[in-house]
Amino acid sequence: MDRPRNYIFDFNHSYEDALPPEIHRYDCSGIRGSELYCSEEAAAALCAIIRTNGISGIHFLDSGDYHYITRLMTSFLAYPYDLLLIDHHTDMQEAAFGELLSCGNWAADLLRYDAHLQHLFLVGPDDAALDEAEAASEKVIAIRCSELLAGSVPAGMQMISHPVYISIDKDVLSRRYAVTNWDQGDMSLAVMEQVLADVIEAHEVIGVDICGDLPGTLVLPDYQHADRINAASDRALYCFFKRLLCAMM
């Protein structure tokens, strides 16, 4: 049996019937030390999944609490690459507990320690956060929402010059398209897909990951409403990538 190219890290069972059965699902609910922060034991278990399947394809990471998996994914790259990060947050906080990897500091860890990363193209945070991220590292190229709405490919994005890994947190979207457990932006799905299409049409894509689903923390009617919204966006993004990245399937 061929290894699955497209797979789900299922921590909270938030993908119930949201995605087609062709996407392999790994039940990660029993991995201890994985929520928000990634223990050494959790990292070993998650890296075993990645090592078995590789990073070429479309991967769903569950809620934003597990966005640090992008750092684990890219650790398997042994050649120069660029990262396109679409996220309402920079994920460049300082580590709160020693060097423990977390959903809030994984991008800072990547910038600091991954010599293969050439540039991190950051789309989604507000202008103040983008300014701070650019000041923190010369590898960060900020793409501002005003540039996206101008209708042409932003100048910064034209600087992508290596194979690109794409990471998406749906908290960048408005609540019409996603309901997450973090504060959110106001991007539309159409604007996100245009950004992605511009990159995919011009560059080699290594792999894609998507997070930003909602753990089951709301009361049932609210959770069902949120789940319907998230499921629709997950399906739309999967179909979008499958259509444009058919060579990776």
Side-chain angles (χ1 to χ4, degrees), residues 40-126:
E40 290 184 8
E41 294 78 9
L46 295 168
C47 283
I49 294 173
I50 299 167
R51 188 176 297 109
T52 298
N53 300 288
I55 67 171
S56 173
I58 306 165
H59 318 109
F60 290 86
L61 312 184
D62 210 293
S63 82
D65 297 354
Y66 306 96
H67 202 173
Y68 62 76
I69 293 176
T70 302
R71 178 67 178 102
L72 303 180
M73 287 276 193
T74 55
S75 70
F76 285 83
L77 293 173
Y79 53 83
Y81 72 96
D82 291 327
L83 174 68
L84 174 63
L85 174 59
I86 303 179
D87 195 321
H88 186 54
H89 307 90
T90 67
D91 292 352
M92 297 179 191
Q93 301 172 11
E94 290 300 318
F97 300 101
E99 294 299 313
L100 196 61
L101 191 67
S102 77
C103 62
N105 70 21
W106 69 267
D109 187 271
L110 183 70
L111 288 162
R112 185 175 294 120
Y113 297 117
D114 190 344
H116 297 297
L117 176 69
Q118 303 303 298
H119 288 100
L120 190 160
F121 295 85
L122 183 58
V123 180
D126 61 33

Side-chain angles (χ1 to χ4, degrees), residues 173-192:
L173 295 168
S174 75
R175 291 179 70 85
R176 176 180 175 183
Y177 302 100
V179 181
T180 76
N181 56 328
W182 301 93
D183 62 296
Q184 293 184 221
D186 58 5
M187 185 180 291
S188 70
L189 194 60
V191 168
M192 178 188 286

Side-chain angles (χ1 to χ4, degrees), residues 150-226:
S152 58
V153 179
M157 201 166 290
Q158 296 178 37
M159 294 174 62
I160 297 176
S161 56
H162 298 86
V164 59
Y165 187 89
I166 297 173
S167 183
I168 298 168
D169 190 332
K170 296 204 307 288
D171 69 9
V172 75
L173 295 168
S174 75
R175 291 179 70 85
R176 176 180 175 183
Y177 302 100
V179 181
T180 76
N181 56 328
W182 301 93
D183 62 296
Q184 293 184 221
D186 58 5
M187 185 180 291
S188 70
L189 194 60
V191 168
M192 178 188 286
E193 289 184 346
Q194 186 57 60
V195 172
L196 294 166
D198 289 339
V199 171
I200 292 168
E201 289 170 6
H203 304 283
E204 176 187 351
V205 175
I206 302 165
V208 177
D209 65 49
I210 302 165
C211 69
D213 278 71
L214 186 69
T217 53
L218 299 178
V219 295
L220 188 58
D222 291 335
Y223 179 78
Q224 289 175 327
H225 173 72

Side-chain angles (χ1 to χ4, degrees), residues 132-155:
E132 185 176 347
E134 283 192 307
S137 173
E138 62 184 11
K139 290 187 175 184
V140 175
I141 307 296
I143 311 298
R144 301 173 193 279
C145 288
S146 57
E147 298 177 272
L148 301 178
L149 297 175
S152 58
V153 179

